[in-house]
Amino acid sequence: MDISKNFFELFELVPGFDLNAQQLSERYRELQREYHPDRHAHKGERQQRLAVQATTHLNEAFETLKMPLMRAQYLLKLRGVETGEETRQQLPGDFLMQQMELRESLVEVGESDDPFAELERLEQQARQLETQEYSQFNAALAADDLETAVVAIRKLQFVNKLLHEIEAAEDRLDEEY
Amino acid sequence: MALLQIAEPGLSLDPHQRKLAVGIDLGTTNSLVASVRNGVAETLADEAGKHILPSVVHYAQDEKPLVGAAAAQRATQDPYNTIQSIKRLMGRSAADALQLGEHLPYEFVESDTAMPYLRTAAGDLSPVQISADILKSLVVRAEASLGGDLEGAVITVPAYFDDAQRQATKDAAQIAGINVLRLLNEPTAAAVAYGLDQQDKGVVAVYDLGGGTFDISILRLTQGVFEVLATGGDSALGGDDFDYALAHWLMEQAGGHSFDASSSRELLRIARHTKEQLTDKPEVEVSLPGSGTQVRITREQFDALCKSLVAKTIRACKRALKDAGVALDEIQDVVMVGGSTRVPLVQSSVGEFFKRDPHIGIDPDRVVAIGAAIQADILAGNKPDSELLLLDVLPLSLGLETMGGLVEKVIHRNTSIPVARAQEFTTYQDGQTAMLVHVLQGERELVDHCRSLARFELRGIPPMAAGAAHIRVTFQVDADGLLNVAAKELSTGVESAIQVKPSYGLSDSEITRMLQESYSNAADDREARSLREQQVEADRLVSALRNAIAEDGELLSEQELKDLNTEIDVLEKLAQGASSAAIEAGVEHLAQVSDFFASRRMDRSIQTALQGQSVDIFDPVSNNRSEEEKG
């Protein structure tokens, strides 16, 4: 496997935020058929080791392109912009206020009459924000406005974390009921 | 002209080139071994025709461990030396074992080792050694039945097994002398056995409730590729828990009658039997051990006892669907695996949740071993054209301990394997030269709530200001789901790496010692087998000579008869002994000294034969000879 190829090249996809998900999974399975350790189990140790390395790379590439946030970050990385956890991008005050409010509602979910419905409402709100920011990101990238794209990513990281917390709260509620 | 041979596609040309590979289902309650023969995967039976090997081992002093049904029969009389459900203790710490073992009547060795040891008449044994004894028994069966040495085996594990439990299983296989082709998740094996790859596309849920473990897996099938989307479950929940709940209830009905280890075992046995009967009957009458009290239990009562356990499994199904990103109505098939899915409450609850009737076509006890055999056949290289490919995921998140006893996740659960991830850390004190790397597995945030897999130190970091060092910790999970961790200080290149050995797993030296023991046992086994062979040989010769004397004794003089009888007696006595070499020499000696008797008998029998024939029918050669004699 040529690991010098970028992930889009590996899957023979046009680089971009919107991608052909079906082609991605089809190509993924094709490459797995070729490189997976099980296809080399009866061969020598060296070939098995190479197979593990190749599929490790393949799995990383697949997950990066499959997950929207990781895909967006990877697109920026290809343009030389790293947006790890440590990005200290200043975010607009109203966005941060909104995040705080959402988080407060999440903490108080347990006291509501119908906590599941309340969680559902919160999740919808977060999903809406998510969609909005992805289209912001997509537009900024197309316009080569990398600064705006980075702001969108930073916001999406917040939203993503919120979605995880909503999910965890749901699991906890499930355990109680 | 010779006919050209054309092999069926996918089959190897020369049957002798086929490598013998098996699938092994090492279960909590029962174990099985299966193999692909003539293109069909089937479970292998023992000499008595039984396919299922109860996962029970009985240990006695100076005797080989007894595995299976014969061992299970001793559970009541000899509970401490009859080990069952050992899978529940695989990869567990001594502390876990004590907790899990509260209803297991075993005697744990009090020691400071992290690994639990059970006290038996054959010495203190770890769960890994006991599992190895079960595996050895299956290998013996497979080699006898397939007629050759095994190339390797695929051994199944619950999808929800953590790294420690997987490593323990692999260690057990190593001690049993098995080349592990792959550790395969049980639900995936079941999906393979159902031949669901034959269908073009679809999403499948596999609900696997065994004796001691519960798994739910969501798989996507596309032209032979099985992609595990998510897996979940509970590695300490199974049909055994139904038995315990029922046994507990029965104990209450007995009204404070106290039970010792032996009658507890008996009560458990009764509970299991009652559970099985309630599958077909609405009501069962139970006679309690000791007091003999009669108790009546209805299926409704039993369902009520198990309800919370079953509900727990349904919650796990919900979570797995969410993790897989799959909606309930996308599930095309539901496959049931494990003996405990025979319980009517389980079947109805699963059917209700998924809104479709689950598949129960293949014997739920055998389905996992059959799937493993199909995969083993492919991994051994016997089916190069096979489309089948299994893509699995990591069942539980892996992480590292950070400041304040928190866990930083490095690889999240349900990530496709093999996978590698690196995370960078830094020092928190000026001049810090060493760092403790503590590897954990689990979903919780606090170290205390996760499973500790390993601790190791990275030493020799050059003294720097706090936060200046960059330590990269790399996690690599292989296709068996086993973890390797390496740590490296980036500015200096100081490195440290370990194969993750669970904190309470077996150390390498322990494995080496056990391997040596099993080799010496193998030598004992060989000696035992050759002794039996020589004894059989001696018996055969002794009885053959006695029969000959009875028939043709008149061919011997009185002295010859007396001497021969003495020699026969000598060998007979020798055959009672334990030296195969001595018996072999004795057999040879007796054969030699009785040789003249054999010759005489031969001569007589030829004469007898000739007497019965007309000389005329002899061929011209003898006629010629008579011509010559005349001439």
Side-chain angles (χ1 to χ4, degrees), chain B residues 412-432:
Chain B
H412 286 269
R413 72 163 187 258
N414 291 324
T415 302
S416 297
I417 54 172
V419 63
R421 278 293 140 77
Q423 188 96 342
E424 280 179 26
F425 294 88
T426 190
T427 47
Y428 76 103
Q429 271 177 350
D430 287 339
Q432 190 178 338

Side-chain angles (χ1 to χ4, degrees), chain B residues 259-329:
Chain B
F259 289 89
D260 58 10
S262 172
S263 53
S264 294
R265 277 291 180 97
E266 179 61 11
L267 192 66
L268 262 185
R269 198 192 57 74
I270 291 172
R272 175 170 303 182
H273 184 63
T274 308
K275 172 187 76 177
E276 286 165 7
Q277 282 187 306
L278 283 170
T279 295
D280 302 316
K281 291 183 196 161
E283 201 174 272
V284 171
E285 181 105 3
V286 184
S287 168
L288 294 181
S291 63
T293 315
Q294 295 285 314
V295 179
R296 184 167 280 279
I297 180 163
T298 65
R299 189 187 288 166
E300 284 70 30
Q301 284 171 307
F302 176 64
D303 286 355
L305 292 173
C306 304
K307 209 174 135 204
S308 68
L309 295 167
V310 177
K312 222 169 149 182
T313 69
I314 298 295
R315 271 205 299 278
C317 294
K318 238 186 245 175
R319 182 194 300 240
L321 280 175
K322 201 155 68 177
D323 279 357
V326 165
L328 195 59
D329 56 13

Side-chain angles (χ1 to χ4, degrees), chain A residues 22 25-26 28-29 32-34 36-39 41-42 51-52 55-57 59-60 62-63 66 70 167 170-171 174-175 177, chain B residues 182 201 220 222-223 225 227 315 318-319 322-323 375 379-381 386-391 415-421 476 479:
Chain A
Q22 194 179 341
S25 355
E26 267 168 29
Y28 171 69
R29 283 190 290 268
Q32 283 284 11
R33 259 188 221 288
E34 197 174 332
H36 194 276
D38 283 359
R39 310 295 270 185
H42 56 289
V52 171
T55 38
T56 298
H57 180 72
N59 279 329
E60 196 195 335
F62 181 58
E63 194 170 306
K66 195 174 63 174
M70 288 173 81
E167 195 175 307
E170 211 172 81
D171 281 348
D174 268 347
E175 298 278 324
Y177 282 80
Chain B
R182 181 72 71 233
K201 270 179 182 173
R220 184 189 300 282
T222 327
Q223 286 125 25
V225 179
E227 213 175 319
R315 271 205 299 278
K318 238 186 245 175
R319 182 194 300 240
K322 201 155 68 177
D323 279 357
Q375 170 79 335
L379 293 186
S386 172
E387 289 276 289
L388 183 70
L389 182 63
L390 312 179
L391 307 178
T415 302
S416 297
I417 54 172
V419 63
R421 278 293 140 77
Q476 164 86 55

Side-chain angles (χ1 to χ4, degrees), chain B residues 374-452:
Chain B
I374 295 171
Q375 170 79 335
D377 194 43
I378 293 170
L379 293 186
N382 290 335
K383 277 187 98 179
D385 300 332
S386 172
E387 289 276 289
L388 183 70
L389 182 63
L390 312 179
L391 307 178
D392 236 310
V393 297
L394 182 74
L396 295 154
S397 302
L398 290 164
L400 288 169
E401 176 171 353
T402 61
M403 290 295 297
L406 292 174
V407 181
E408 172 78 22
K409 284 180 186 155
V410 179
I411 307 181
H412 286 269
R413 72 163 187 258
N414 291 324
T415 302
S416 297
I417 54 172
V419 63
R421 278 293 140 77
Q423 188 96 342
E424 280 179 26
F425 294 88
T426 190
T427 47
Y428 76 103
Q429 271 177 350
D430 287 339
Q432 190 178 338
T433 59
M435 191 178 210
L436 179 73
V437 178
H438 185 195
V439 184
L440 297 130
Q441 188 161 28
E443 307 313 313
R444 309 283 292 275
E445 280 160 17
L446 293 177
V447 167
D448 292 346
H449 295 156
C450 286
R451 177 155 298 268
S452 164

